[in-house]
Amino acid sequence: MDRIPEPDLMDDPAQAEAYHRADFTEAHEHFVTLFRQLFEAGSWAGPVLDLGCGTADVTRRFARVFDDQPIHGVDGAEAMLRLGREMLEWEGLNCRVELFCRYLPVDQLPEPRYGAVISNSLLHHLQDPLTLWSVIRRFAAPGAPILVMDLLRPATSERAAELVALHAAGEAEILRRDFFNSLCAAYRPHEVEQQIREAGLEGIDVTTVSDRHWIAWGRA
Ligand SMILES: C[S@@+](CC[C@H](N)C(=O)[O-])C[C@H]1O[C@@H](n2cnc3c(N)ncnc32)[C@H](O)[C@@H]1O
């Protein structure tokens, strides 16, 4: 199946609300666990940059585990960020975790360099995937851990529908539609490896970690 792009920003309030209400516990906890396994505690220090943070569900899970690190989340969709900010305030994380409305790519962020860069499920939204890798290259401090996770485009649209049925059976229709479209828009590991080479990033490996996810990880 060839890639079918989807719109980049998730700025429709109904779409943002459905995303915010969905249960991403399995995938998002997996993300944080992988980070802990891949990067030894004490071998890095924030601030952390979360690119395409959306409603900040990964951001808050990360913040709970790494409870002494400041985190900046960046996203271009105010509809997503508004829900994220409310949740962070509710959980008392808003003094350590800040969300910024920025459309990537950017030349400037609140910090000139970040001690770790994370991103989940942003890449498949980007028409030019080098946007993500160039921002990472620009803002990751030397030696900073990098962990990017995203969906993996299945071989056929039938397989994409199967994955939606398997992993999002109880979710709202709008969320199931978005998940199907995201699977069709996703990049495959060999495509990601090519992007990373083109961006001139070295020392980043790409590994498949579930029936629908790959990670790209390493140090800047
Ligand atoms: C599928 S959501 C992932 C949100 C979050 N990382 C998570 O895992 O729950 C993708 C997010 O990327 C954002 N996005 C897409 N293209 C962007 C761009 N060029 N600049 C900034 N944000 C972008 C969308 O607005 C959306 O909130």
Side-chain angles (χ1 to χ4, degrees):
M1 170 173 68
D2 287 340
R3 180 170 183 265
I4 305 169
E6 63 172 351
D8 56 1
L9 295 186
M10 294 175 63
D11 48 10
D12 167 10
Q15 183 187 35
E17 190 66 43
Y19 195 87
H20 190 48
R21 285 173 184 270
D23 181 5
F24 291 112
T25 304
E26 183 203 336
H28 293 182
E29 286 296 323
H30 192 197
F31 183 96
V32 178
T33 300
L34 284 165
F35 190 98
R36 289 176 78 168
Q37 289 170 348
L38 293 168
F39 305 108
E40 201 184 329
S43 71
W44 64 277
V48 178
L49 176 62
D50 183 0
L51 294 168
C53 63
T55 56
D57 189 57
V58 169
T59 332
R60 78 175 166 119
R61 292 174 195 275
F62 197 93
R64 283 205 211 117
V65 171
F66 301 104
D67 58 7
D68 54 352
Q69 303 295 340
I71 307 184
H72 289 170
V74 172
D75 200 285
E78 194 54 52
M80 297 287 270
L81 294 173
R82 196 175 309 119
L83 296 167
R85 288 196 193 100
E86 281 173 17
M87 176 274 298
L88 291 170
E89 198 174 334
W90 174 257
E91 297 201 0
L93 290 167
N94 53 323
C95 46
R96 193 160 52 84
V97 183
E98 286 181 272
L99 306 185
F100 299 89
C101 193
R102 300 281 192 282
Y103 184 77
L104 303 172
V106 282
D107 290 330
Q108 280 206 320
L109 284 174
E111 295 288 338
R113 295 276 176 179
Y114 286 85
V117 183
I118 60 174
S119 181
N120 181 56
S121 282
L122 165 66
L123 186 72
H124 72 264
H125 283 274
L126 301 174
Q127 308 317 326
D128 179 2
L130 289 196
T131 295
L132 173 63
W133 306 113
S134 63
V135 170
I136 289 175
R137 194 170 172 194
R138 161 72 183 77
F139 288 99
I146 293 164
L147 179 60
V148 174
M149 184 163 90
D150 210 318
L151 296 167
L152 193 165
R153 188 171 76 254
T156 62
S157 59
E158 289 75 18
R159 178 62 184 152
E162 267 175 39
L163 287 167
V164 173
L166 195 60
H167 296 291
E171 301 292 356
E173 184 50 36
I174 188 170
L175 195 281
R176 289 162 56 81
R177 186 205 62 199
D178 276 355
F179 183 27
F180 178 82
N181 290 340
S182 294
L183 285 164
C184 297
Y187 294 97
R188 295 194 173 130
H190 72 276
E191 296 166 340
V192 177
E193 283 166 357
Q194 173 70 23
Q195 295 163 14
I196 291 170
R197 267 198 302 277
E198 271 179 46
L201 276 167
E202 283 169 14
I204 307 290
D205 288 330
V206 181
T207 312
T208 300
V209 291
S210 81
D211 58 357
R212 62 203 185 286
H213 291 111
W214 52 260
I215 57 168
W217 60 280
R219 288 195 184 251

